[in-house]
Amino acid sequence: MTPNGVEDEDKFLASGVAGIQQNAFHMHRALDSNNLKDALKYSAQMLSELRTSRLSPHKYYELYMRAFDELRKLEMFFKEETKRGCSIVELYELVQHAGNILPRLYLLCTVGSVYIKSKEAPAKDILKDLVEMCRGIQHPLRGLFLRSYLSQVSKDKLPDIGSEYEGDADTVVDAVEFVLQNFTEMNKLWVRMQHQGPALEKMKREKERSELRDLVGKNLHVLSQIEGIDLEMYKETVLPRILEQVVNCKDEIAQGYLMDCIIQVFPDEYHLQTLETLLGACPQLQPSVDIKMVLARLMERLSNYAALSTDVLPEFFQVEAFAKLNSAIGKVIEAQENMPIAGVVTLYSSLLTFTLHVHPDRLDYVDQILGACVKKLSGKGKLKDSIATKQIVALLSAPLEKYKDIDTALKLSNYPHVMEHLDDATSKVMANVLVQTILKNKTCISTDEKVEALFELMKGLIRDLDENLHDEFDEEDFKEEQNSVSRLIQMLHNDDPEEMLKIICTVKKHIVTGGPKRLPFTVPPLIFNSLKLVRRLQNQDENAPEEETSAIPKKIFQILNQIIEALSSVPVPELALRLYLECAEAANDSDLEPVAYEFFTQAYILYEEEISDSKAQVTAIQLIIGTLQRMHIFGVENRDTLTHKATGYSAKLLKKPDQCKAVYSCAHLFWVDDQDSIKDGERVLLCLKRALRIANAAQQMSNATRGSSGSVLLFIEILNKYLYFYEKGVTQITVASIQSLLELITTEMQSENKTADPAADALLASTLRYIQFQKDKGGAVGEKYDSIKS
């Protein structure tokens, strides 16, 4: 509407309101003086303002409400008049003399309301008369508001069961007939609005009609409140009459709205018992009507009804609700060939929700729905429509939310076929939903078949499906997803070692194709889950035949070797080295010397060829030394080879302090408390002397480059090693060597060139306290320490 048009409309409205107010004023004066003749005269003039055709529905409603308020006051006056002896029958005749038909009918409805309340005539006769009289107004807008007024003043005066206006038998039929007739006429007027005016204003008319739809829908609400309508009457009379009007009006807006009204206002049990009738109307609606939303709302209501109590479920079984809904959806989809995929999936998603509420034990129904969806999606490839993919995620998530058990979803043969139609990004989202469901419910996947099926569904998370996705790569989201996959791998379990080995092989097959970004996340949990199986086998019956107990661990270690080798493509040598050492320690516990030696060999190769960063080398050396110290399986030759290599690596570190620490750590490789075969005091002393030489060289370098002697921290640390081995009974560590080292440290601490080092001071003080503590102990230990002068 043009700005001028809006201004003109406001003027017409203002003029109409002024007319109503002016005539209402005179009407009130006449009412106050009990002047019936003038009251009717001015009320008719007031109501004449509603004869305008110049207002939009929104503005007309404002005008109508002004008149409605005045009519309520007039109705109160008519009631008082009847109490004072005025004949209501005469009054009913008198108002029919009004000059214009529209004011006459408004007054007739007002008096008719009082007439019914007086009970001087059967309510059904008066209502029938009023609804027939209203046919006199055929202008859509004026007729709709007039009939809306009739519905408003009569809704509490219907001859319903238990109502004070209930008459003889079948009065409920009369009440129903009245409301249905009024509804039918209002719907015709409402539909007629669409066909008035120029075609260019179609959008405007549709908007205006939408503003008026509640006037029509209120009739159905009134109908639903009639107590006398039982299931039989609803099935035989009410619903067929309403649907007849809905289908025959052939209007898209009316059909969509009224079908929704039927679903919303009438009881759920009625819908259930008349499901066939209601669904039978759907294919007869106009092709442009959004039938999927109608069916979706119907199924939503029925689902909620089923969820209220299990007591109602037999009713669903009795009427074969699933079969009818499934058939109706099939017919609708078949009839509407151009229905978007999003609409199809929405329908099946609603049917699935309904099925999960009503038939939670019928997995065949769930699979049937997914199968129907697959059939409709076939040939469509990967869906690009975001609405459709969102609906598919909702469809696939429904069984997970209902059963809270991934096992159930894995039993659905069509589940993976639906997922195939998701684009790569959405497939990833759905895979994440699957993983989170498993983690949340702590579901244990216990067979390799299930693991295979699950990892096939999760492929969006465990391997790159589309190279283009790297453009939208989010580091934090990726880490979170991969950590979830890692937790899932840790949860895989089967008590049977053979079955667990199959699961490990299945997981390995999937994760090795994950690409360099994923392997550092997915390989470690699989390694540790495998080692968990190895240790479980160690704790089993020791009396079992050796071949039987060692065959599976050997297979596992072969697999682990292959998995860690896959990390070489990343590369993450530090992680691979740690994993090799973990496996070596597990092989040691399983008494598999060749396997343990092979893992150590691989770790050494990685150290030599891949780890070049000095800090990484220091960490790697410490790990190697720590692991090697705990190994008890190696024979003399193999241990000497590995130990010699470790000490060699230690001496070749870039920084002197790092060299020193690594070398004195190597001393532990030659003296292990619980292994008598590894107690070589000479080589312990050799390592400690070598560490002292390196520490001394570090001091000299510091003096040459900085002009200060540097920290004595290394010497104090070596002192602690001397004390440790002295206490352990290494005869080559003498009191004299300890005393000499103490004096060296004291001299260095008092040197003028000494660099202040609070850490060194604290460690020395702590060491001296320890020596004194050991002295104070007395006994054999005290005697050993008494000769040390601190």
Side-chain angles (χ1 to χ4, degrees), residues 330-346:
K331 287 177 182 175
V332 166
I333 293 172
E334 192 177 334
Q336 297 192 9
E337 294 178 359
N338 297 325
M339 182 184 288
I341 287 296
V344 173
V345 180
T346 300

Side-chain angles (χ1 to χ4, degrees), residues 1 5 8-10 12-13 51-56 59-60 139 141-142:
M1 186 176 287
D8 289 345
E9 195 177 5
D10 289 339
F12 294 138
L13 175 61
R51 295 170 60 211
T52 181
S53 302
R54 295 174 171 178
L55 298 178
S56 66
K59 301 290 186 184
Y60 191 89
H139 184 278
L141 188 60
R142 295 198 287 268

Side-chain angles (χ1 to χ4, degrees), residues 218-287:
K218 279 177 183 174
N219 287 283
L220 298 183
H221 179 70
V222 170
L223 205 54
S224 70
Q225 301 302 307
I226 297 177
E227 294 289 339
I229 297 180
D230 57 12
L231 177 58
E232 192 62 30
M233 180 181 283
Y234 178 77
K235 186 189 290 187
E236 299 298 330
T237 306
V238 177
L239 184 62
R241 286 276 299 278
I242 297 173
L243 289 177
E244 179 187 9
Q245 178 59 35
V246 172
V247 171
N248 290 341
C249 74
K250 299 187 184 304
D251 179 79
E252 172 193 347
I253 296 175
Q255 288 181 338
Y257 171 70
L258 293 175
M259 288 296 285
D260 191 42
C261 278
I262 294 169
I263 292 165
Q264 298 301 333
V265 302
F266 290 107
D268 297 322
E269 55 268 32
Y270 284 15
H271 291 322
L272 194 56
Q273 296 300 328
T274 58
L275 199 54
E276 198 163 355
T277 306
L278 195 55
L279 294 174
C282 289
Q284 301 177 56
L285 303 179
Q286 295 298 104

Side-chain angles (χ1 to χ4, degrees), residues 456-669:
E456 195 56 41
L457 294 176
M458 285 168 46
K459 59 188 176 186
L461 285 180
I462 57 178
R463 63 174 179 262
D464 291 331
L465 300 177
D466 184 357
E467 293 180 3
N468 296 328
L469 288 178
H470 289 302
D471 300 338
E472 304 167 16
F473 184 76
D474 186 295
E475 192 72 37
E476 288 302 316
D477 288 348
F478 178 77
K479 284 181 180 178
E480 192 174 331
E481 289 165 0
Q482 295 309 304
N483 284 331
S484 296
V485 174
S486 301
R487 287 170 60 200
L488 170 64
I489 293 171
Q490 288 279 29
M491 289 173 66
L492 303 175
H493 178 78
N494 192 304
D495 290 330
D496 183 350
E498 291 284 354
E499 284 299 316
M500 189 62 202
L501 182 59
K502 289 179 183 176
I503 289 174
I504 291 167
C505 292
T506 302
V507 176
K508 174 208 160 193
K509 181 182 76 174
H510 284 279
I511 67 168
V512 292
T513 60
K517 288 185 181 296
R518 290 181 176 80
L519 286 174
F521 291 94
T522 53
V523 165
L526 180 57
I527 297 287
F528 286 109
N529 203 354
S530 304
L531 295 178
K532 199 190 302 178
L533 173 59
V534 172
R535 292 196 166 90
R536 182 148 51 97
L537 289 167
Q538 291 167 16
N539 297 329
Q540 284 183 351
D541 188 5
E542 294 178 1
N543 298 323
E546 188 179 340
E547 297 80 12
E548 197 175 302
T549 55
S550 63
I552 294 178
K554 283 179 180 175
K555 289 179 186 175
I556 294 171
F557 285 126
Q558 289 168 6
I559 293 166
L560 295 181
N561 197 20
Q562 295 165 11
I563 296 170
I564 301 173
E565 280 180 4
L567 283 174
S568 61
S569 65
V570 179
V572 279
E574 296 93 340
L575 175 60
L577 183 136
R578 284 174 182 269
L579 294 175
Y580 276 131
L581 294 176
E582 287 284 351
C583 293
E585 194 166 354
N588 174 76
D589 296 340
S590 300
D591 294 330
L592 297 171
E593 182 182 4
V595 176
Y597 188 83
E598 176 60 25
F599 280 122
F600 254 100
T601 303
Q602 293 299 326
Y604 281 0
I605 291 170
L606 267 180
Y607 179 83
E608 291 177 2
E609 297 181 357
E610 301 291 339
I611 301 178
S612 55
D613 178 72
S614 60
K615 286 185 179 179
Q617 284 181 338
V618 171
T619 306
I621 283 293
Q622 295 295 346
L623 286 169
I624 288 171
I625 295 170
T627 307
L628 187 53
Q629 184 195 3
R630 293 191 293 275
M631 306 296 282
H632 61 75
I633 191 68
F634 292 134
V636 175
E637 186 179 343
N638 283 343
R639 186 171 185 90
D640 281 350
T641 303
L642 296 173
T643 304
H644 178 72
K645 276 283 183 186
T647 51
Y649 294 150
S650 301
K652 292 177 182 177
L653 289 173
L654 177 64
K655 297 177 182 176
K656 290 294 181 184
D658 293 337
Q659 278 183 29
C660 179
K661 291 177 182 180
V663 168
Y664 70 57
S665 295
C666 285
H668 289 279
L669 298 177

